[in-house]
Amino acid sequence: RNNFMFLPTGCIILAIGIYMLIKGRNKTNDLKKYENENLLSDGTVYFDNIKASRTHGANKNFYRMITVMGLFTGIFGLIFIGYGLNIFTHVM
């Protein structure tokens, strides 16, 4: 049986997963950098207002989710590549 179409599809899915993973990690690191640069003496992070604080928290959770989804997307792409290369098939 021909599993050729799994290979390019898997490569595209893997590339999307890697992009999501890198983008999510970079944005999360940017948010952590902001926290470190705006740390007050009592250990809290300074924000201009409550809206900025909530936006920061929402962005932090969003980019963590993007990172995790990128990881799973990448694994899914690797599985497709494996099927395209007939790694998961065996003859008895």
Side-chain angles (χ1 to χ4, degrees):
R1 102 186 158 208
N2 187 358
N3 292 337
F4 176 72
M5 283 310 296
F6 281 110
L7 197 56
T9 305
C11 289
I12 292 168
I13 293 170
L14 177 62
I16 292 168
I18 291 170
Y19 175 80
M20 290 169 64
L21 193 66
I22 292 170
K23 191 75 164 174
R25 287 307 307 156
N26 287 344
K27 291 291 189 176
T28 301
N29 288 339
D30 290 346
L31 293 170
K32 285 180 183 177
K33 182 180 175 191
Y34 176 86
E35 290 174 4
N36 289 334
E37 290 173 354
N38 293 284
L39 199 59
L40 300 175
S41 59
D42 64 353
T44 58
V45 179
Y46 172 77
F47 293 99
D48 292 331
N49 53 43
I50 190 71
K51 185 175 185 237
S53 171
R54 289 182 179 163
T55 300
H56 180 86
N59 284 339
K60 200 169 171 185
N61 289 330
F62 175 73
Y63 288 115
R64 277 189 197 143
M65 184 191 69
I66 291 293
T67 303
V68 172
M69 293 304 294
L71 179 67
F72 285 116
T73 303
I75 291 169
F76 191 65
L78 287 175
I79 291 169
F80 264 56
I81 291 170
Y83 274 112
L85 297 173
N86 291 321
I87 291 175
F88 301 118
T89 58
H90 64 288
V91 179
M92 297 182 102

